[in-house]
Amino acid sequence: MQTRIDLPRPPTEPEPASFPLLASLAPVLGAVALWLLLQTPTVLVFALLGPVIALASMGDGRRTRRRRRAREAERWRVELSEAADRVDAALDERRAALAAAHPDARAVAARPPHDPHRWRAAPDAPVHVVLGIGPLPSGIALEGAMPATDPAVQRLGAVEAVDRLRSAAAVLEGPIVVDAREGIGLVGPRPVAIALARAIVVQVADAVAPDAAEAIVPDSPAWAWLAALPHPLHREPCDAVRLVGDGVEVTVAVAEDAAALPRECRIVVHAALDRAHVGGRSCMPSALTEREAEAAIETLAAAAAHAGIRRAGGLPDRVELDALPVATGGLTAVFLVEGAPVELDLVRDGPHAVVGGTTGSGKSELLIAWVAAIAAGRSTAEVSFLLVDFKGGASFAPLLGLAHCVGVMTDLDRSGALRAIESLKAELRRREQLLAVQAARSIEEAQGIARLVIVVDEFAAMLHELPDLHRLFVDLAARGRSLGVHLVLCTQRPAEAVRDSLLANCGIRISLRVTDEHDAMAVTGSAAAAAIPLEARGRCVVRVSGGATRMAQAAIASPEHLALLVAAAAQQPRAPRPWREPLARAVPLTAVKPGPDAGDAGVVRLGLVDRPAEQRIAPVVWRPALDGPLLAVGGAASGRSSLAELIAVQLGTPVIDREDALWDALTAPGRSSSTTSTSSSRA
């Protein structure tokens, strides 16, 4: 398509005025005639009017020509400026049309997931990608000639001005487009070539539908950002990305030298930091950072979910935990699948984890599978689990028989939950003391200390019920790595519940389906989890140690598999709880054993006291000789009489239940040194 623009009419030189000969001679002839007639010499003065008239006429002609020349020059400049404006407008229109027809990588990445123009090309259509911005023929032609010999043209420099306008109109800076089906090889410094390759791959993935081709990508950290690609994904030890399908085959390769490129790469791009050269053309390269490319791929994944594209070879709808391998070392567990099984290690990748997901997304199943995967193949001397469920306690019911499980805290037993939490503080102090005794800096250097994994379902609900717990969990998160205490915090609204002080120590981030992009971003830094469809239970976005996000499917631990796991662990000693059992309703006297500091004589055993902050049940004794009188206060049926009888039996004294009888007993001859009485006073 060519646009024609008329050049301004060339400037013209005004014709010189004719010399007024007759007007100049008339005064001379008239003066001579009068002199001949009158013979008066003074009349000859009128002869001077001829030259005066001639000079005046010449001056007036020159001034008129200058005015005409100035008007003509101004007219030409105005028309040339208008032509330049028309050229600029035509160039802008052409640039906009090219940009709309061939968006670059950043424009492609900015498309929303519901963009209706994505994946609409025919299977055998060219796969156009933009390499960068460079000079292109504009298709704008300037009509009109400029006579170079014309004095007015020469005086105004019109030829040079028109030539400059022609040059400006002939070329525009636009997208350098190639067909990716020809195969593109990028040669140059590896970081620069990889950045350009990311931009090309994003454009290709945006052009080729996930159900039309499969992707073969290098098994390399440099290409880890492609994990969420909605196309069927296969990793191979290579340095080229290939999309292969019916009617399309695209290869994008990176090499240090052109000779090392695959033979499929018929387009070779020599990349530099500020310029790229391809086929004799130079352009400003279009490159993407890894984070930009990762965000673009996540948008494509969301677009595929929005379009309901379910491709062959994609993530399975269901994965059975017993079909996955059992991992060893640290706290490694295999309970996710991303094309291949995914290993997550709380020791290496954590030390803590946060899991987000709305109701029905599969949080409880994921947590059960994770615990089961860690427990498989490990003894209770290596790891134990404390399960916290603030939605009734039913979520972890399948794990209660597991020998590794030290207990379940629920919102149904608020006092028990508070007691267990107080004991966790003591557990940290106990572990610190054990490390100090062994002169160890962390649990890796110590012996005989099992790792403790605290799994919290509905962390936000727990904090709502017990807001003071946030400080404890921040402390656990900060000191847990060296002490062998690991947190797995699960909540529906991570953006509100898990604050930065906790997130900073959570190296493992998993987001199942959430309803708000802010919640997805709060966990993984990606909004992809907000686009997971409702029916994809267990589908999640995973991010480990700040790396690239990956789309994975969580496994399901079947009841049969859990039963086998519980049976296999039944022969092991049950893991000790980090807190003591609660006090019994009745305590026999023999269970109260005074400590060595109580002395040998005059000790009255009263009962037991629960000290959860110290992880112990302590005896309560009364030493009359050292402690002085004892006052027991209580209401009706509170146990005052029973306590009095208990004390009286140990002291060998009578029980007096009236104030007057007490006075008689004190004043009677041979009264005992100790007297036991009951009191009806109330505290």
Side-chain angles (χ1 to χ4, degrees):
M1 175 181 170
Q2 195 169 33
T3 302
R4 299 183 180 277
I5 297 177
D6 292 330
L7 285 169
R9 180 168 49 86
T12 59
E13 185 71 13
E15 295 291 334
S18 59
F19 183 75
L21 180 61
L22 294 178
S24 302
L25 291 178
V28 176
L29 294 176
V32 171
L34 288 174
W35 176 71
L36 291 175
L37 180 63
L38 301 175
Q39 295 294 312
T40 303
T42 55
V43 298
L44 294 176
V45 176
F46 289 104
L48 297 176
L49 293 175
V52 171
I53 292 173
L55 292 174
S57 297
M58 291 178 62
D60 185 62
R62 289 181 177 179
R63 185 180 64 177
T64 301
R65 285 197 302 275
R66 282 197 300 271
R67 289 179 177 175
R68 289 178 179 174
R69 190 179 296 121
R71 285 196 298 270
E72 184 66 10
E74 180 63 22
R75 189 269 312 167
W76 185 82
R77 291 191 186 95
V78 169
E79 292 181 359
L80 183 66
S81 177
E82 292 173 350
D85 290 341
R86 290 195 296 273
V87 168
D88 291 341
L91 289 174
D92 290 341
E93 182 180 354
R94 188 62 55 86
R95 272 191 292 266
L98 288 173
H102 305 289
D104 64 5
R106 281 192 169 82
V108 166
R111 287 176 173 175
H114 55 275
D115 188 344
H117 303 293
R118 183 182 285 113
W119 302 325
R120 291 296 181 87
D124 56 349
V127 180
H128 289 140
V129 297
V130 177
L131 300 179
I133 301 299
L136 294 173
S138 67
I140 298 175
L142 299 183
E143 301 281 339
M146 194 61 56
T149 58
D150 193 303
V153 172
Q154 295 176 351
R155 183 183 304 107
L156 292 174
V159 174
E160 293 79 2
V162 169
D163 288 344
R164 287 194 297 271
L165 185 59
R166 287 185 190 275
S167 299
V171 178
L172 61 80
E173 292 291 318
I176 303 300
V177 181
V178 298
D179 186 355
R181 296 182 304 172
E182 297 292 318
I184 303 173
L186 298 128
V187 179
R190 185 169 179 82
V192 178
I194 286 288
L196 268 66
R198 284 193 289 259
I200 294 171
V201 171
V202 165
Q203 295 178 75
V204 172
D206 186 84
V208 180
D211 53 358
E214 62 179 8
I216 303 170
V217 304
D219 189 9
S220 165
W223 300 95
W225 55 273
L226 281 169
L229 191 70
H231 303 68
L233 199 61
H234 307 281
R235 296 189 182 274
E236 293 183 357
C238 60
D239 212 1
V241 176
R242 290 183 172 87
L243 259 74
V244 182
D246 295 336
V248 61
E249 182 174 351
V250 175
T251 300
V252 181
V254 175
E256 297 280 341
D257 185 79
L261 292 172
R263 65 175 182 271
E264 294 89 354
C265 296
R266 293 184 288 274
I267 299 173
V268 179
V269 181
H270 295 271
L273 189 60
D274 57 344
R275 302 300 294 176
H277 304 275
V278 53
R281 292 185 293 178
S282 176
C283 66
M284 180 67 69
S286 175
L288 289 180
T289 66
E290 184 171 340
R291 184 170 292 276
E292 289 174 321
E294 181 183 344
I297 294 301
E298 290 170 354
T299 300
L300 291 178
H306 184 271
I309 295 177
R310 179 73 175 93
R311 79 277 175 142
L315 291 174
D317 293 329
R318 182 182 175 92
V319 177
E320 295 293 340
L321 184 63
D322 55 5
L324 300 179
V326 176
T328 59
L331 292 178
T332 305
V334 179
F335 63 99
L336 297 175
V337 171
E338 178 224 346
V342 178
E343 287 191 357
L344 291 182
D345 186 357
L346 271 172
V347 176
R348 178 193 64 218
D349 304 323
H352 311 296
V354 60
V355 179
T358 189
T359 301
S361 62
K363 296 192 307 298
S364 299
E365 290 88 347
L366 182 145
L367 294 178
I368 291 173
W370 197 347
V371 171
I374 294 177
R378 291 181 176 86
S379 68
T380 56
E382 296 177 83
V383 63
S384 60
F385 301 95
L386 170 60
L387 309 177
V388 183
D389 181 8
F390 265 66
K391 57 179 182 180
S395 297
F396 294 125
L399 297 172
L400 294 181
L402 192 64
H404 303 73
C405 179
V406 298
V408 177
M409 293 168 45
T410 74
D411 54 337
L412 302 180
D413 183 9
R414 182 184 178 91
S415 61
L418 289 172
R419 183 173 178 276
I421 289 163
E422 283 294 320
S423 296
L424 286 178
K425 300 176 183 178
E427 176 66 15
L428 293 182
R429 291 192 294 270
R430 185 186 73 85
R431 289 172 176 259
E432 288 175 338
Q433 292 169 1
L434 291 175
L435 293 180
V437 168
Q438 301 185 37
R441 291 174 297 179
S442 66
I443 192 172
E444 286 83 3
E445 301 175 2
Q447 299 291 329
I449 306 177
R451 294 185 180 274
L452 174 63
V453 180
I454 303 174
V455 183
V456 183
D457 197 358
E458 296 303 338
F459 183 64
M462 186 189 72
L463 290 185
H464 179 73
E465 292 287 332
L466 307 169
D468 294 339
L469 285 186
H470 187 269
R471 183 178 301 175
L472 170 63
F473 276 84
V474 170
D475 187 33
L476 287 171
R479 296 195 286 163
R481 180 186 291 275
S482 61
L483 300 178
V485 178
H486 305 271
L487 301 175
V488 178
L489 308 177
C490 186
T491 180
Q492 293 189 35
R493 301 301 303 271
E496 299 175 1
V498 186
R499 303 174 193 171
D500 292 342
S501 53
L502 275 174
L503 277 175
N505 291 290
C506 295
I508 298 176
R509 314 281 186 86
I510 301 176
S511 180
L512 295 111
R513 183 178 61 86
V514 292
T515 56
D516 194 320
E517 289 187 358
H518 295 294
D519 290 317
M521 294 290 293
V523 178
T524 62
S526 163
I532 295 176
L534 179 65
E535 64 275 8
R537 190 179 180 90
R539 190 67 46 82
C540 57
V541 178
V542 183
R543 188 168 198 162
V544 179
S545 301
T549 58
R550 298 180 287 177
M551 189 71 72
Q553 180 68 31
I556 297 291
S558 65
E560 295 77 15
H561 178 68
L562 292 175
L564 291 175
L565 185 63
V566 169
Q571 304 302 321
Q572 302 182 39
R574 199 163 188 91
R577 284 186 174 181
W579 67 86
R580 297 292 300 272
E581 294 294 336
L583 293 175
R585 296 181 61 86
V587 177
L589 188 60
T590 55
V592 182
K593 299 178 180 179
D597 57 343
D600 297 330
V603 176
V604 178
R605 292 173 289 176
L606 300 179
L608 300 176
V609 61
D610 186 14
R611 301 190 187 278
E614 301 174 10
Q615 285 185 319
R616 69 189 183 98
I617 303 295
V620 180
V621 298
W622 174 41
R623 299 167 298 180
L626 297 177
D627 300 331
L630 172 66
L631 174 64
V633 180
S638 62
R640 294 192 322 273
S641 300
S642 299
L643 177 61
E645 292 174 359
L646 175 66
I647 297 173
V649 168
Q650 296 182 67
L651 293 178
T653 62
V655 177
I656 301 171
D657 58 0
R658 302 192 320 275
E659 287 78 356
D660 56 345
L662 175 60
W663 177 257
D664 294 339
L666 291 175
T667 58
R671 63 181 178 84
S672 61
S673 59
S674 298
T675 302
T676 305
S677 66
T678 60
S679 171
S680 61
S681 302
R682 302 191 61 168

